[in-house]
Amino acid sequence: MSEIEVSVRPYAEGDRWILERTLGDPIQMVNLNGPESVEHIGKRHSRFLAMSTDSRAGSQFTILAGPLQAPAGNVGYWESEWGGQTGWEMGWFVLPEFQRRGIATAATRLIIDRIQKLRSHRLVLAFPSVENHPSNAICRKLGFTLAGRVTSEYPAGSTRSLEVNIWKLTLPSSGGDAPRASP
Ligand SMILES: CC(C)(COP(=O)(O)OP(=O)(O)OC[C@H]1O[C@@H](n2cnc3c(N)ncnc32)[C@H](O)[C@@H]1OP(=O)(O)O)[C@@H](O)C(=O)NCCC(=O)NCCS
């Protein structure tokens, strides 16, 4: 996998097209029970903007990649609960033309570093579909532990079910960087 420069900035007003090209695309959403409607994407856009105002309550970021820092996708975290524990759930997506270059892995690592600096929840969670090979690979590479699988409703309220893996990462209690897994 080639090394490519990756950074993140807070999700911004002009970023809705990135959601439309990923969440609105049936191919990109094959592991997420299909594309989101225009209406749903609009609501998500507003929610992402609102989330970007206070990083302690969760946040969404636009991924920038390459020498021109081109918008390449999205990564974010939000409060979630699993097994009686509250933690930060994470999600990510990368535009098709930027995929398979390590961008999602690098961006997720950057956000885990940010979460670590918040010094709030130590638990980080991700729930990719069992079929989502790249997302499961990202969790494995970043040192998450596979804690099982569960069938959940996705999207919420849709009555459609999705079998997901439960990935957990426990951050160090204080100081230092987030754990680094082997490449
Ligand atoms: C999941 C997604 C964000 C991965 O982005 P990416 O930038 O291509 O990921 P990376 O390049 O960091 O790759 C991570 C790992 O997945 C592997 N991978 C990437 N695409 C793959 C594919 N289509 N099939 C199998 N493995 C794949 C990579 O090889 C890498 O593993 P490796 O380093 O051991 O080889 C991207 O495929 C995507 O946006 N998918 C659609 C939306 C989605 O499913 N989001 C996640 C919801 S949980």
Side-chain angles (χ1 to χ4, degrees), residues 28-36 44 82 89 126-133 135-136 148-166:
Q28 296 307 306
M29 296 297 279
V30 70
N31 290 313
L32 290 153
N33 277 343
E36 292 188 358
R44 193 186 274 278
W82 185 257
E89 183 174 340
F127 301 102
S129 155
V130 297
E131 306 285 346
N132 194 334
H133 302 301
S135 281
N136 285 298
R149 58 166 68 183
V150 68
T151 302
S152 67
E153 185 189 54
Y154 192 88
S158 67
T159 70
R160 278 175 279 163
S161 63
L162 191 67
E163 192 169 11
V164 298
N165 280 326
I166 305 159

Side-chain angles (χ1 to χ4, degrees), residues 103-140:
I103 292 173
T105 306
T108 303
R109 183 179 276 134
L110 288 175
I111 299 309
I112 291 172
D113 284 347
R114 286 182 181 234
I115 289 175
Q116 169 72 19
K117 290 192 178 92
L118 292 176
R119 298 184 186 220
S120 54
H121 308 305
R122 291 179 58 203
L123 176 66
V124 185
L125 296 157
F127 301 102
S129 155
V130 297
E131 306 285 346
N132 194 334
H133 302 301
S135 281
N136 285 298
I138 290 165
C139 293
R140 207 172 294 113

Side-chain angles (χ1 to χ4, degrees), residues 1 28 32 92-94 98-105 128 132-135 137-138 141:
M1 192 175 286
Q28 296 307 306
L32 290 153
W92 44 73
F93 52 82
V94 164
F98 285 100
Q99 290 178 7
R100 305 209 76 158
R101 292 157 76 183
I103 292 173
T105 306
N132 194 334
H133 302 301
S135 281
I138 290 165
K141 284 161 70 81

